[in-house]
């Protein structure tokens, strides 16, 4: 039985493949170092704005060098952190910024996510599947429920077919707001991310 919660992201990808009859993902547009795939067959097209592995095409997920309706499935695992100094200054030293990249403001995250949803709808064929990994965050003392925002941003392009939850095993560093030495906790620390399975509509 396939469950909605797994502690291993490769298990989630395998479950999605089984439920959606995907033998091999057609594209991963934020490929990183491909840790995602474990013993799963690698996607056919691998793209990343900053390639870290061989065979990865340098491109933005919001402007893919492929024709319309090329893919039946696409994986998108974008950065989810904000207040990442590297995103503002280009040479920050936060470990997470180096590994995963990130944004300075939440609206930069929103712009990237929205533009990629539109591009994914363009390159996916009818009823194509987009696997969208995301995490809710606290930005500027405010809760940003990103997975619900994605639901709003994908209206008219995709419908939600499934939703998986990945609890994190280790704690993530808290991105510090500049000039803040705050010690009091006002929000629950977020320990899980989502794999949204989106099906192209229309
Ligand atoms: C969370 S990591 C992906 C990790 C990946 N799933 C793995 O298994 O290694 C996010 C990736 O998105 C890439 N990225 C950030 N902005 C991008 C953009 N506009 N277009 C394409 N890739 C982007 C980063 O370079 C980084 O490799």
């Amino acid at each position: 039985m396939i469950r909605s919660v797994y502690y291993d992201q490769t298990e989630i990808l395998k479950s999605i493949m089984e439920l959606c009859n995907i033998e091999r993902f057609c594209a991963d547009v934020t490929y990183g170092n491909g840790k995602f795939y474990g013993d799963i067959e690698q996607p056919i097209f691998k793209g990343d704005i900053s390639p870290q592995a061989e065979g990865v095409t340098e491109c933005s997920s919001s402007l893919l060098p492929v024709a319309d309706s090329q893919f039946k499935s696409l994986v998108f695992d974008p950065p989810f952190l904000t207040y990442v100094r590297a995103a503002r200054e280009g040479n920050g030293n936060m470990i997470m910024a180096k590994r995963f990249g990130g944004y300075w403001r939440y609206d930069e995250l929103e712009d990237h996510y929205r533009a990629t949803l539109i591009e994914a709808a363009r390159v996916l064929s009818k009823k194509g599947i987009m696997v969208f990994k995301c995490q809710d965050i606290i930005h500027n003392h405010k809760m940003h429920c990103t997975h619900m925002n994605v639901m709003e941003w994908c209206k008219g392009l995709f419908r939600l077919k499934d939703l998986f939850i990945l609890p994190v095993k280790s704690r993530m560093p808290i991105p510090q707001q500049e000039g803040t030495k705050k010690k009091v906790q006002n929000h629950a620390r977020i320990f899980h991310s989502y794999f949204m399975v989106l099906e192209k509509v229309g």
Side-chain angles (χ1 to χ4, degrees):
M1 188 193 52
I2 292 173
R3 309 189 310 264
S4 58
V5 181
Y6 288 94
Y7 285 85
D8 181 319
Q9 51 191 5
T10 307
E11 287 306 313
I12 294 183
L13 288 180
K14 282 182 186 170
S15 303
I16 295 170
M17 291 170 90
E18 194 173 331
L19 290 172
C20 300
N21 291 321
I22 296 170
E23 274 184 28
R24 181 182 182 187
F25 283 108
C26 295
D28 184 328
V29 296
T30 44
Y31 182 77
N33 57 22
K35 219 172 65 187
F36 245 9
Y37 294 95
D39 58 350
I40 302 177
E41 195 169 359
Q42 294 284 316
I44 300 165
F45 174 87
K46 303 172 196 168
D48 198 292
I49 201 145
S50 169
Q52 300 167 44
E54 276 200 20
V56 180
T57 303
E58 183 176 340
C59 59
S60 173
S61 57
S62 56
L63 195 65
L64 296 169
V66 291
D68 296 357
S69 312
Q70 284 298 294
F71 301 133
K72 285 187 182 152
S73 57
L74 177 148
V75 177
F76 181 49
D77 174 17
F80 60 85
L81 291 175
T82 49
Y83 284 141
V84 172
R85 257 164 243 261
R88 194 182 57 162
E89 295 161 7
N91 61 353
N93 58 6
M94 276 179 61
I95 294 168
M96 292 295 281
K98 279 187 181 156
R99 263 180 74 196
F100 296 131
Y103 313 88
W104 183 245
R105 298 190 317 262
Y106 192 81
D107 63 330
E108 293 165 3
L109 174 152
E110 175 176 348
D111 287 350
H112 181 210
Y113 286 19
R114 277 182 184 269
T116 302
L117 282 163
I118 293 170
E119 185 66 341
R122 180 185 74 77
V123 300
L124 281 169
S125 53
K126 199 175 169 190
K127 293 198 166 198
I129 296 291
M130 177 179 195
V131 178
F132 194 141
K133 185 180 173 192
C134 65
Q135 184 171 314
D136 302 336
I137 58 164
I138 309 295
H139 172 83
N140 213 4
H141 314 295
K142 191 177 157 208
M143 172 79 185
H144 288 268
C145 201
T146 300
H147 77 286
M148 289 188 62
N149 290 340
V150 171
M151 283 310 301
E152 187 61 31
W153 300 335
C154 77
K155 267 188 188 157
L157 300 172
F158 293 94
R159 75 175 180 95
L160 185 65
K161 189 173 185 298
D162 255 314
L163 183 62
F164 288 82
I165 294 172
L166 174 76
V168 292
K169 289 178 192 152
S170 52
R171 287 158 64 94
M172 314 276 244
I174 306 174
Q176 284 294 323
Q177 193 179 344
E178 212 162 82
T180 314
K181 291 194 184 102
K182 202 161 166 290
K183 296 278 182 274
V184 181
Q185 181 171 7
N186 289 326
H187 299 273
R189 187 84 171 272
I190 296 166
F191 265 72
H192 63 283
S193 51
Y194 296 94
F195 279 71
M196 305 177 74
V197 184
L198 304 173
E199 185 182 68
K200 184 175 160 179
V201 295

